[in-house]
Amino acid sequence: MTLPVLILTIILSLLKILVSCLPTDAVNWIISKFKIHAEISGGNAIVTFGGKRVEGEEKIQVINYFNNARFLKKNHIFPGNEQLFLHPENSGTPLVIDTKRGKKDVRLFVYIYSERVDVVKQYKKKLISYSLFSDSLQERSMPLIRNIV
């Protein structure tokens, strides 16, 4: 009876030491898997606005503004309300970013308002909605987006 308890205690102690001493890169990798607002790389992203592709310096600026935005809150999507988030009222034309995250194709719909930026992330058949705060996207990119159209 004491031998199984002793072996279990040793295994749990080793597991605790292993988990508490993970290298920083391993911890960052694990955390990045659960991030809602993950960074986008410019190389594999396609940015469109109003059906027209955004290329060159404008694309790099929009992606940098998006990556530097601060996460505000996650918006809960209830079953049946998906279309309210994909096509909100009085939102205007969304900025659409198609990218890959690992092996998954991800489409981001970015709705820019004066007080916040709403993002709807769509991959497979799942939707995740969250709000960001970005002075750059909210103020500086509006003339940039108007020039694209």
Side-chain angles (χ1 to χ4, degrees):
M1 181 70 180
T2 60
L3 186 61
V5 172
L6 182 64
I7 292 173
L8 184 64
T9 304
I10 291 172
I11 291 173
L12 289 176
S13 299
L14 290 174
L15 183 66
K16 180 183 176 194
I17 290 171
L18 178 69
V19 170
S20 64
C21 297
L22 285 174
T24 304
D25 292 336
V27 172
N28 289 339
W29 179 78
I30 292 170
I31 290 173
S32 72
K33 292 294 180 186
F34 297 101
K35 274 187 177 177
I36 292 176
H37 177 61
E39 289 192 6
I40 300 172
S41 65
N44 63 355
I46 299 170
V47 180
T48 56
F49 182 75
K52 297 179 182 177
R53 280 181 91 155
V54 179
E55 296 290 339
E57 187 65 33
E58 291 90 10
K59 174 184 168 183
I60 294 169
Q61 268 188 328
V62 168
I63 290 174
N64 284 338
Y65 291 159
F66 182 81
N67 287 339
N68 293 330
R70 288 183 294 164
F71 181 82
L72 288 178
K73 67 175 184 167
K74 181 178 178 184
N75 303 320
H76 297 284
I77 300 176
F78 297 104
N81 290 344
E82 292 89 0
Q83 292 303 318
L84 295 175
F85 286 91
L86 282 174
H87 307 290
E89 294 179 13
N90 303 325
S91 63
T93 306
L95 191 65
V96 180
I97 303 172
D98 291 310
T99 186
K100 281 189 159 295
R101 184 160 186 227
K103 295 179 182 178
K104 298 177 191 174
D105 289 328
V106 178
R107 176 171 275 184
L108 301 167
F109 297 94
V110 182
Y111 298 96
I112 301 171
Y113 302 103
S114 60
E115 67 278 353
R116 70 183 188 284
V117 176
D118 285 342
V119 179
V120 179
K121 183 191 291 188
Q122 182 180 27
Y123 59 97
K124 293 186 182 178
K125 293 186 179 186
K126 296 182 181 179
L127 281 180
I128 297 174
S129 175
Y130 58 95
S131 296
L132 301 174
F133 178 76
S134 171
D135 282 335
S136 304
L137 268 178
Q138 291 166 248
E139 295 170 4
R140 295 184 199 140
S141 72
M142 294 312 284
L144 174 76
I145 292 172
R146 287 189 194 109
N147 290 338
I148 295 168
V149 178

